[in-house]
Amino acid sequence: MTSPLISTLELQARLGDRPGDLTLLDVRYRLGGPSGPEEYAAGHLPGAVYVDLDTVLASPAGSGGRHPLPDPDAFEAAMRGLGVRDDRPVVVYDDWSAHAAGRAWWLLRFHGHPDVRVLDGGLAAWVADGGEVETGPVSPVPGDFTRSEQPAMAAVAADAVLGVDVLVDARAAERYRGEVEPIDPVAGHIPGAVNVPTSRNLTPDGRFRSPEELRAIYAAVGAVPGADVAAYCGSGVTATHDLIAMEVAGIRAALYPGSWSGWVTDPTRPVERSASR
């Protein structure tokens, strides 16, 4: 697999040599945090275009959870408006440890874009490593992105989740165990799921761990190359962080987009509360 990550130094070199040869998407979003558009306007990577997670990378909340997948045609149109092209690489970033940028990465790959990477360490790493920022909006030239029916990433539906061999819950351990549930109406996890909180994927400086470290973390719960693996979280956004980590480790995994918030909309679905496995 090609790494889903790009380092700050590699991106600086790419922007210095061929600034028009890639599309930069700023996906800043944080549940309960500062406004993404305001943060973007105050400073962003040169040439980056802002992407709103709630309106572009998700459909309205409902039976599919808090962040259902966007309508495919609407997503294609939005990506074209942001300047995304089929023949040009895309780099996505945020200031939330890649939790939001991961959603954009996954959706573009799911809809067939061949070259999408996440800036390792996000905006903080970019600034720490001497990267320049600019202020104000960017008006992109419309792109020609065309979604494909042959996605590079996979999704698993609610009625198939219980049949997945290794189902990874990416939420914090206390939410997985059902000790607390600050957002959704029911606490617990999907029966049989194992817990790998997204925080385990990162080093203290906010960048992803090495392939060897990540391979060991996921092997401990049975997620190994070639296995039938899927991941979920609260609403299908932060689980993409575990998917990125597994890609780095050489493990291809699917996403359950509805995740916990979608699972509990049906009261007949089973719920488990237990110690972390």
Side-chain angles (χ1 to χ4, degrees), residues 124-143:
W126 176 261
V127 173
D129 291 343
E132 296 182 358
V133 297
E134 65 181 19
T135 59
V138 172
S139 298
V141 176

Side-chain angles (χ1 to χ4, degrees), residues 67-100:
H67 287 108
L69 297 185
D71 173 79
D73 290 336
F75 179 75
E76 179 185 82
M79 291 300 105
R80 288 183 175 186
L82 294 168
V84 176
R85 298 185 56 85
D86 290 325
D87 61 354
R88 189 164 61 198
V90 179
V91 174
V92 295
Y93 74 92
D94 61 25
D95 61 350
W96 191 29
S97 303
H99 288 91

